[in-house]
Amino acid sequence: MEEQQGKVIPIAIEDEVKTAYLNYAMSVIVSRALPDVRDGLKPVHRRLLYAMDELGLHPNSPTKKSARITGDAMGKYHPHGDASLYDALVRMAQDFSLRYPLVQGQGNFGSIDGDPPAASRYTEAKLSRIGDEMLADLKKDTVDFVPNYDESLKEPSVLPSAIPNLLINGSSGIAVGMATNMPPHNLNEVVDAICAYIDNPEISLDGLMHYIKGPDFPTGGIVFGKRGIKEAYATGRGRIVVRGKFTIEVAKNGKESIIFTEIPYGVNKASLLVKIAELVRDKVIDGIAEIRDESDREGLRIVIELKKGTIAKVVLNQLFSHTALQSTFGVINLALVGLRPKCLSLKELIAYYVEHRVDVVTRRTKYDLQKAEERAHILEGLMIALANIDEVVAIIKASRDVELAKTNLIQRFVLTEIQAQAIVDMRLGRLTSLEVEKLQKELEELRTLISYLKSLLEDKAKLMGVIKDELRSVAEKYGDPRRTEIVADEIESINIEDLIQKEEMVILISNLGYIKRVPVSSYKSQGRGGKGMASAKLAEEDFIEQLFVATTHDHLMFITSKGRAYWLKVHEIPEGSRTSKGVHIKSLLMVSPNEEITTVVDIREFRDDTYLLLATTRGIVKKVQTSEFSNAKTRGIIAISLDEGDTLVSALLTGGSDEIMMISRKGQALRTHEEQIRPMGRSSRGVTGMKLDVDDELAGLLRVNDEEKMLIVTEYGYGKRVEYAEFSAHNRATGGQRVYTITEKTGEIVSCVSVKEDDDIMCITSQGKSIKLAAKEISVMGRSAQGVRLLQIERPDFVIGVDRIANEEE
């Protein structure tokens, strides 16, 4: 055999590899992985949508098998594996992947749990209503068509894209040496921003961000901090921190549960639950009793049930630290601009989209103008023929063939070839007067349309107005409220209490210092004179010493026997059941061993115009601005300097101009104005509030409210309501008037509270029994009356506390 003669070209291997790899890299960048800035689509998505358009799969048509769609796209335009085509089709139909799905799927298209879709032979699809907008006006020469891979067909190089797809759906892709990761946005916000840009192309980034607040993910969530968003919008790159959205629910048994209703974008729910379970098993996260997935068609719901006494804030911080419930979305706004990859700012993304729409609308207008002019030209010829119909018929009849007839008509009426053809093709039915009127009307309408289309092409501002109107129409049809919440604060300063349900809580504090909170709903109302129900299983020598009601968002100010003040948020106190012991107060506050909590007050917020009025057993009173206590927290600061042997008995909030009522254990009451007590610094002693007998002590301090009544309760379970109006105002440091006649049977006054007619009250005994009563069941009596029996007391038990349960409206 003769050897084949050939030419050998020596090439250095590194040059060949460099060239070949560069060609491959550019092919991946331009023809596979990056979206076009104009329509926001990669070639595979564009070809799938075009194939669906050619198959007539519009929103009002029946669906077709996905295998048919991917087969058509693969055979005609995209010569790659059908698996990659089907994956792309599936993603366009998933409402958890795309903010505005471009495809409407029928069948199993996968789930947020990472379940795979059914095979393409089982599922069906068609264009969604918003997906159809991507192809609007495609047949009006709005975009360039290029040959397909084998040059047997033509395909669009870009879609007209009546929706700003790249901004509203985002994109992600890994090319060679570069990647894109663009977040989705809200359609209404994007359209408003584009319209603002059209009105003022010099608009600043802050101006655009007035409309586009930040990304809007299909799975919702909460974005923390605007710094990352602004950086991404300004430079095209930035980091956005996203957390799952949650609430905290309290079950009837007192257990708290963290309920996640939204998770960060792109997180696989099933994998997330497995990860949490592993962390609980490995004791990385402590305090979780159970994890349940209660998601259904209504939406996502992950229930994380906590163990009794677990502080939700601690568990949440661990979940956010160790799981994808807090994720970072790294923004890289990389897209193809004229087949070149470019990292784009928000303004550039909008500018390139507007430029594309200007091109599309201009080309569409030219196309419509050409078609209108062609039709008008034919109608003008028909109108000439109808005006001279007898002569036209005579010319046609006299002609030997159609060509001669056309030639004769052109010569006689100065027509064009096209007009003459239209005349000879005209049906006899067009000769009726009604048809003539229709042609005249159509011609007039066409002339108006031509005039309008020409004005569009001549006036840029008018063309921009059309673009704006079309965008607003799209937003009206498909726009929806924002799903992702954006919080201005950075992640560290987020306060969990915004997510904790506001709820009335009974706070119980025992003599030995145990504290707990129990929902008011755990207590059922009883009649007057009942025996009550067990409210705490205490040690034999312990008893309940204080009770009051506050909401989970309030501050609890604790003032000790040594005159120091501390505070906690109510939700930071571990919740217990009615019968549980609670936790020791000293495990929550930094209280020294030789001081005890003597009084507790519920404060909503610390301000200069509200005051804390403190009263001691020896009748000393003191007024301090609440703002002085804002930094007390769990470490404590001085509230009052006490005399040797004196203790705090009561503290209440006042507005600076209230009247107050001091009530002693022996049955005396002094009504005085708080203006008689000047505000003092935290470390002062105070002034004499009420003059007391040697064997008497102050039992309580109330703020006068004529819409309410005083409720007086004695240690052996007797009580009454008394009108404030029965007492006249006196100066401070006087003895006051009789409010109750004390006997051996009633015992001394132990507590007083101000109540409305429709209030409920709670009484607690030293042995831990409680009774909930309606205030209206307790008689209103005069100053010297003994009152009625409120609850049965079996000595040595005695009443130690009473508090009002506020109405929900209050």
Side-chain angles (χ1 to χ4, degrees), residues 563-593:
R564 286 182 72 79
Y566 305 77
W567 60 256
L568 277 174
K569 288 292 184 86
V570 170
H571 66 75
E572 292 174 334
I573 298 166
E575 188 173 323
S577 65
R578 277 196 304 104
T579 55
S580 66
K581 186 165 74 170
V583 297
H584 204 278
I585 239 171
K586 291 184 179 178
S587 69
L588 303 174
L589 306 173
M590 294 177 186
V591 179
S592 63

Side-chain angles (χ1 to χ4, degrees), residues 545-717:
E545 195 174 72
Q546 294 200 53
L547 166 144
F548 56 95
V549 175
T551 77
T552 44
H553 287 204
D554 293 354
H555 300 84
L556 278 193
M557 178 87 80
F558 299 85
I559 302 159
T560 68
S561 53
K562 298 289 184 184
R564 286 182 72 79
Y566 305 77
W567 60 256
L568 277 174
K569 288 292 184 86
V570 170
H571 66 75
E572 292 174 334
I573 298 166
E575 188 173 323
S577 65
R578 277 196 304 104
T579 55
S580 66
K581 186 165 74 170
V583 297
H584 204 278
I585 239 171
K586 291 184 179 178
S587 69
L588 303 174
L589 306 173
M590 294 177 186
V591 179
S592 63
N594 61 343
E595 61 181 327
E596 297 301 325
I597 306 289
T598 56
T599 186
V600 184
V601 65
D602 168 20
I603 295 180
R604 295 277 152 98
E605 56 182 325
F606 300 103
R607 292 162 44 170
D608 288 340
D609 58 351
T610 59
Y611 299 88
L612 191 64
L613 199 62
L614 306 164
T616 75
T617 50
R618 289 187 180 170
I620 302 294
V621 291
K622 178 182 167 185
K623 188 162 83 170
V624 192
Q625 288 175 320
T626 57
S627 57
E628 297 229 10
F629 297 98
S630 61
N631 62 343
K633 297 196 177 175
T634 54
R635 292 183 177 275
I637 52 175
I638 292 167
I640 185 170
S641 296
L642 294 167
D643 295 340
E644 185 79 26
D646 199 4
T647 56
L648 274 169
V649 69
S650 191
L652 57 84
L653 279 175
T654 66
S657 57
D658 294 320
E659 280 191 294
I660 57 167
M661 185 75 80
M662 287 172 268
I663 297 166
S664 80
R665 289 181 69 90
K666 296 288 186 187
Q668 289 296 109
L670 171 63
R671 178 173 178 167
T672 189
H673 205 285
E674 74 161 299
E675 285 176 353
Q676 295 214 346
I677 307 159
R678 63 183 174 81
M680 297 181 182
R682 286 186 295 101
S683 55
S684 61
R685 169 187 177 270
V687 294
T688 303
M690 184 176 185
K691 192 175 177 184
L692 298 168
D693 292 342
V694 179
D695 61 343
D696 199 2
E697 290 181 345
L698 202 64
L701 181 68
L702 298 176
R703 186 171 51 246
V704 174
N705 183 344
D706 290 328
E707 291 179 8
E708 299 179 344
K709 296 179 178 61
M710 280 185 283
L711 173 65
I712 311 291
V713 180
T714 70
E715 58 188 324
Y716 298 134

Side-chain angles (χ1 to χ4, degrees), residues 179-352:
T180 184
N181 200 31
M182 304 176 71
H185 292 85
N186 185 274
L187 177 60
N188 289 332
E189 291 180 8
V190 169
V191 166
D192 287 344
I194 293 172
C195 292
Y197 170 82
I198 289 171
D199 291 337
N200 174 22
E202 302 303 314
I203 190 169
S204 66
L205 177 62
D206 287 333
L208 290 173
M209 285 187 71
H210 172 72
Y211 302 101
I212 300 178
K213 312 294 182 195
D216 188 23
F217 298 108
T219 52
I222 303 170
V223 169
F224 283 90
K226 292 190 173 176
R227 193 167 53 199
I229 297 172
K230 190 162 187 177
E231 191 183 333
Y233 288 170
T235 66
R237 290 176 182 268
R239 291 173 73 254
I240 295 170
V241 177
V242 191
R243 271 186 178 179
K245 191 178 279 187
F246 65 93
T247 54
I248 292 175
E249 290 182 6
V250 183
K252 286 184 180 175
N253 62 4
K255 278 189 178 179
E256 282 187 337
S257 295
I258 302 166
I259 315 293
F260 280 91
T261 51
E262 293 172 8
I263 58 176
Y265 180 55
V267 172
N268 181 314
K269 175 161 64 73
S271 304
L272 173 70
L273 292 170
V274 169
K275 176 71 174 172
I276 296 170
E278 285 172 358
L279 291 168
V280 172
R281 183 196 65 201
D282 299 340
K283 298 195 168 15
V284 176
I285 298 179
D286 203 24
I288 293 178
E290 193 182 347
I291 305 158
R292 293 193 305 277
D293 184 2
E294 295 182 356
S295 307
D296 56 17
R297 289 186 181 194
E298 301 302 311
L300 185 139
R301 183 179 163 90
I302 298 169
V303 180
I304 298 170
E305 205 174 282
L306 305 182
K307 292 173 182 172
K308 271 279 180 73
T310 301
I311 296 169
K313 194 170 190 173
V314 175
V315 175
L316 279 163
N317 285 339
Q318 290 175 325
L319 285 170
F320 291 139
S321 300
H322 296 106
T323 73
L325 284 167
Q326 178 178 312
S327 301
T328 301
F329 189 96
V331 178
I332 308 169
N333 289 337
L334 194 74
L336 293 173
V337 180
L339 299 183
R340 298 182 76 168
K342 188 178 178 186
C343 199
L344 302 158
S345 67
L346 176 66
K347 189 171 178 179
E348 285 176 315
L349 285 168
I350 289 171
Y352 282 120

